[in-house]
Amino acid sequence: MCIRDRISDMVPIGGLHRVPYIIICLTLAAAALLYGSTVQLTVWSYCAMRVTVEACLAWMLVCAEALVVQRSEGLSMDQNNRIQSVVQLSGALFFTTGGVTGAFAYSQSSVGVVLLVVGLSPLAALLGLILLSPSSFETSANQSSDLAASGSSAEYLRLVGSTLTKPRYLLFTLYLLLCNATPDTGKVSFYFYSNALHLTEQQIAVCSSIDQAAILLSMLIYPHTFARKSVRWTMSWGVLIVTALQSSSLLLFSHSNRILGIPDFAAACMTTLICTCASNLTLVPLISLMAMMCPAGLEGIVFSFFSSVTNFSSDIVQAQSSSMAMKYFGIDAHNFSNIVQFQTCVLFLWLTPVALLWMLPTEEELLDISAGIEPSDDRDPIPEIPMKAVDVKARIMVDM
């Protein structure tokens, strides 16, 4: 992570820090996928292809997000929310379309055809990027970027370290780490659907499709709901609203849906739609805040650092906390006697962002971030008194 982001931050190509690396990543990813579609893949060749594609896509996404950050410099939190909602909506749309297309291609043909179809996607994106001119997406390296590029590696690392060790960044990093570490119910829900409700493979596939559609739906709902609120409101009252909606899963886990005459499959679809849609409503504000807190010239490394902390917490720490919670309540693939108690405990843990709200920047700090004002490390900055205020005070003293 650090090496690739340091390269794109420090080494411009043709005066540009992001678009040339996106072009390189798209080219390598397309080449690897098209190569895999034409040969008989072994374990080693598949692993090499997968590593190449994953590394290129990860680097490309960081550079693309850095472009969004550069375009968002000086904008307010509300404006960043709108931009990020469009970005996330586009991502959800392409993710859903790609999943459906890939599943259809695989069911009608073979792995080679799927890899061929997937390999054509980066080529199409590459063609569009070249035709629209790379310079239209990114301006030439700014002053901060030139300073980072002209400095030594030690100076660059010192600059990154001094930025990330500021209290504002340390608190936000800790917030991302703790909030994403709460247990997840995905594994338990799958076991429950399969072995307690005895849903068929086709029914579970329908629930999976609803899950993907719910992500897209949440990105359509967000601009008209939480996007109009401050980040602290979203991560407090918004989290409370989202958790209340997700508590509808207790209806299914307690089999209360049967008392109400709702079939298990219909209740599972409803629960999947509500829980997935609700959980994604609080995603965009944190991404917007991550983008806002990236200093000029360090967009790639800082945003990648925040993303790495989030992924580490949600992929590794969350997996361990989920396993511990399942073990504590005695839940496995066939035992669901305490699933209501498990879900209730998890719902309370999902309120962690409310307890940690003080770790997020205040509205005043967000205005400073938007204006590019850095906080003092040792003491609060002394505010400058505007000249008009001085004149008013002088008149008051004269009148007295």
Side-chain angles (χ1 to χ4, degrees), residues 222 226 229-239 281-282 285:
Y222 175 78
F226 291 178
K229 304 295 183 180
S230 67
V231 63
R232 286 202 167 198
W233 188 97
T234 301
M235 303 314 297
S236 55
W237 291 105
V239 168
L281 289 176
T282 57

Side-chain angles (χ1 to χ4, degrees), residues 114-181:
V114 174
L115 292 177
L116 176 62
V117 173
V118 175
L120 293 176
S121 299
L123 284 181
L126 181 62
L127 180 62
L129 191 62
I130 294 176
L131 291 177
L132 293 176
S133 177
S135 59
S136 63
F137 292 91
E138 180 184 8
T139 57
S140 298
N142 54 32
Q143 184 177 357
S144 300
S145 299
D146 289 339
L147 181 61
S150 61
S152 63
S153 298
E155 181 65 19
Y156 174 82
L157 294 177
R158 186 198 66 78
L159 181 61
V160 173
S162 63
T163 299
L164 295 178
T165 53
K166 291 178 180 178
R168 175 190 289 170
Y169 289 86
L170 289 176
L171 285 175
F172 184 58
T173 300
L174 186 60
Y175 181 90
L176 294 175
L177 184 64
L178 294 176
C179 291
N180 289 284

